[in-house]
Amino acid sequence: MKKLFLVPAAAVALFLASCGGSNTNNETAATTDESATSTETTATGEALEPAVFEIEGNDQMQFDKDLFTVKAGQEIQITLKNVGELPKESMGHNFVVLAPGTDVAAFGGEAFKAKDNDYIPATFASSIIAHTKLLGPGESDTITFTIDEPGEYEFVCSFPGHWGTMRGKIVVE
Ligand SMILES: [Cu+2]
């Protein structure tokens, strides 16, 4: 029974395909919009306004934001505020931007061992694009940086155990 249904369906598909093949002139139309390239000025040297963001870390091991969108080459200014009350030794926060493709779990594991360096692991230095200081309650820190390559850049708090919940991404367009 099923085969009886399939045969007519295939026949219809073939019929439609052969019909559609008759007007092959679509490609010539595509070549006429070359003028559009001269009006788009995205890649010119025009100065972009800095992208200014604020993000908070709290005592529940959470950031209040998990996504930032910027343009390639745009100056990025991010201020991290630790709005918690617990001591820095047990609930410190930072904001670490990682290169695309970084193994975040491996990074978190290394950060765990880097207490002497405020949990910024030297072994991942080449994967770290920017980072704030480690902040105690009520403290804040602002970092300024630029990313030239479009892509998705993860950020985390590298305090031990925090990267699982304190993470998000910067989308560079
Ligand atoms: Cu944290």
Side-chain angles (χ1 to χ4, degrees), residues 2 5 36 61 67 75 95 108 122 124 126 129 131 151-152 167:
K2 281 182 181 174
F5 250 98
M61 285 196 285
L67 178 68
E75 184 176 294
F95 182 92
F124 271 80
S126 62
I129 289 175
H131 69 87
E152 294 190 357
R167 65 192 293 185

Side-chain angles (χ1 to χ4, degrees), residues 92-93 157 159 162 166:
H93 299 305
C157 170
F159 192 90
H162 288 198
M166 300 186 79

Side-chain angles (χ1 to χ4, degrees), residues 58 61-63 91-94 134 157-159 162-163 166:
N58 65 23
M61 285 196 285
Q62 294 165 330
F63 284 133
M91 191 54 74
H93 299 305
N94 63 10
L134 185 67
C157 170
S158 72
F159 192 90
H162 288 198
W163 67 266
M166 300 186 79

Side-chain angles (χ1 to χ4, degrees), residues 84-128:
E85 293 174 358
L86 294 171
K88 183 177 174 178
E89 294 68 34
S90 58
M91 191 54 74
H93 299 305
N94 63 10
F95 182 92
V96 183
V97 183
L98 299 170
T102 303
D103 182 336
V104 180
F107 170 80
E110 284 297 300
F112 195 96
K113 298 185 270 181
K115 184 172 193 290
D116 292 348
N117 198 33
D118 282 350
Y119 305 110
I120 300 297
T123 46
F124 271 80
S126 62
S127 301
I128 297 170

